[in-house]
């Protein structure tokens, strides 16, 4: 089976190409309606999603059609991360409820370890593509068993905090690195106080409610994640999340088109 190179594509697009490989059961490098329906057979929007992917209306979804630039481009990824950030001023309870509803793909009121991993994979790819991540983090409550399916009551919301320049002292670089949540540098590669202050300013330069990845780190993070995506199979839970995101993007675009028609 042919696989697509990650070169020149976003990590989210790479995930969709992995999904394409999984669905392409006959190996002909094009998806039929039956093959796409295998992801979420009970979803009433499957036919419309298939028609949307099938840009040339030839009854087949090619690899190129699986991730059209206008659906999964950088603007969409940035919007995804911003929508997950505190910029919308939603409460932590609402944020948790929204995350849980999206993550619980089978609707059983619990999120399995596989569902949690799928959510993390999707959010991490979007964050690395955008260059920044949501400052809110989901935490499991003390005493929960990570191997078991968890209810919404097993989670809480935390906020990633960073130091401000005014809080930086002349502490050893290793301690400053640990204070900002990074691995302590080797003795041969000390980080100066000025560099720490510059890093903190860069981290705080993203949208409100987010933390930006450092420019000197993001290429390495993206490369490592691309290699992981290439090596790992697409789980059932991740397949459903990817497909549901595609449907959601279609629904939003369709609603936007309808509104524009009315305004026109």
């Amino acid at each position: 089976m042919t696989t697509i190179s990650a070169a020149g594509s976003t990590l989210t697009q790479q995930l969709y190409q992995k999904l394409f490989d999984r669905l392409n059961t006959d190996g002909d490098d094009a998806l039929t309606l039956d093959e796409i329906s295998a992801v979420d057979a009970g979803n009433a929007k499957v036919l419309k999603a298939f028609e949307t992917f099938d840009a040339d209306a030839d009854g087949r979804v090619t690899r190129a059609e699986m991730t059209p630039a206008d659906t999964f481009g950088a603007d969409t990824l940035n919007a995804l991360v911003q929508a997950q950030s505190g910029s919308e001023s939603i409460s932590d309870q609402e944020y948790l409820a929204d995350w849980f509803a999206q993550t619980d793909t089978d609707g059983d009121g619990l999120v399995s370890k596989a569902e949690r991993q799928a959510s993390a994979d999707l959010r991490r790819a979007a964050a690395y593509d955008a260059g920044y991540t949501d400052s809110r983090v989901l935490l499991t409550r003390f005493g929960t068993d990570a191997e078991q399916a968890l209810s919404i009551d097993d989670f809480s919301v935390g906020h990633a905090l960073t130091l401000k320049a005014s809080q930086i002292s002349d502490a050893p670089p290793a301690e400053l690195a640990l204070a900002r949540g990074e691995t302590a540098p080797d003795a041969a590669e000390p980080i100066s106080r000025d560099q720490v202050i510059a890093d903190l300013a860069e981290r705080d330069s993203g949208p409100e409610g987010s933390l930006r990845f450092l420019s000197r780190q993001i290429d390495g993070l993206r490369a490592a994640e691309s290699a992981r995506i290439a090596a790992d199979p697409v789980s059932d839970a991740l397949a459903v999340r990817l497909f549901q995101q595609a449907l959601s993007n279609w629904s939003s675009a369709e609603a936007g088109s309808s509104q524009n028609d009315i305004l026109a």
Side-chain angles (χ1 to χ4, degrees):
M1 183 176 295
T2 304
T3 56
I4 192 170
S5 169
S9 67
T10 69
L11 294 170
T12 301
Q13 287 172 334
Q14 189 181 353
L15 285 173
Y16 274 96
Q17 295 303 300
K18 288 280 288 189
L19 177 60
F20 181 99
D21 288 335
R22 170 179 167 150
L23 296 177
N24 188 27
T25 54
D26 59 11
D28 67 350
D29 242 25
L31 302 179
T32 65
L33 176 58
D34 286 343
E35 285 175 319
I36 284 186
S37 297
V39 173
D40 200 357
N43 197 314
K45 294 181 180 178
V46 166
L47 177 58
K48 184 61 179 179
F50 180 82
E51 293 173 346
T52 300
F53 280 131
D54 184 17
D56 59 6
D58 67 349
R60 302 160 71 248
V61 174
T62 64
R63 185 179 294 279
E65 288 173 324
M66 189 69 178
T67 54
D70 60 343
T71 303
F72 302 111
D75 290 343
T76 298
L77 297 171
N78 276 275
L80 173 62
V81 175
Q82 289 188 55
Q84 295 173 340
S85 76
S87 61
E88 292 187 328
S89 300
I90 63 173
S91 69
D92 286 350
Q93 290 76 15
E94 291 171 316
Y95 181 87
L96 174 58
D98 181 65
W99 171 85
F100 194 90
Q102 293 182 55
T103 304
D104 180 20
T105 53
D106 60 10
D108 66 351
L110 300 171
V111 291
S112 65
K113 182 178 180 180
E115 288 173 327
R116 296 193 298 275
Q117 183 62 53
S119 178
D121 289 347
L122 197 61
R123 290 162 65 94
R124 183 168 53 251
Y128 287 172
D129 283 333
Y132 51 85
T133 187
D134 184 356
S135 68
R136 300 198 203 196
V137 293
L138 276 298
L139 306 171
T140 53
R141 296 189 184 280
F142 181 75
T144 56
D145 184 349
E147 297 297 320
Q148 301 299 314
L150 305 178
S151 73
I152 193 170
D153 293 333
D154 294 319
F155 295 91
S156 60
V157 179
H159 295 263
L161 302 177
T162 60
L163 298 173
K164 297 184 181 300
S166 60
Q167 298 173 296
I168 298 298
S169 66
D170 291 322
E175 292 183 17
L176 294 175
L178 292 173
R180 60 181 182 166
E182 296 180 359
T183 303
D186 296 332
E189 298 181 0
I191 297 178
S192 68
R193 179 177 183 274
D194 288 343
Q195 183 63 62
V196 172
I197 292 175
D199 288 350
L200 292 174
E202 184 176 3
R203 286 192 183 281
D204 198 38
S205 64
E208 182 180 356
S210 73
L211 295 173
R212 185 172 293 281
F213 295 104
L214 297 181
S215 56
R216 69 170 185 271
Q217 296 176 337
I218 189 61
D219 287 345
L221 292 171
R222 287 170 177 158
E225 183 63 9
S226 178
R228 189 197 66 77
I229 291 172
D232 292 349
V234 175
S235 68
D236 291 343
L238 181 55
V240 172
R241 283 300 305 273
L242 287 166
F243 198 49
Q244 288 181 349
Q245 177 174 284
L247 289 173
S248 176
N249 285 341
W250 162 75
S251 298
S252 297
E254 187 78 5
S257 297
S258 298
Q259 185 176 16
N260 289 337
D261 290 342
I262 293 173
L263 293 176

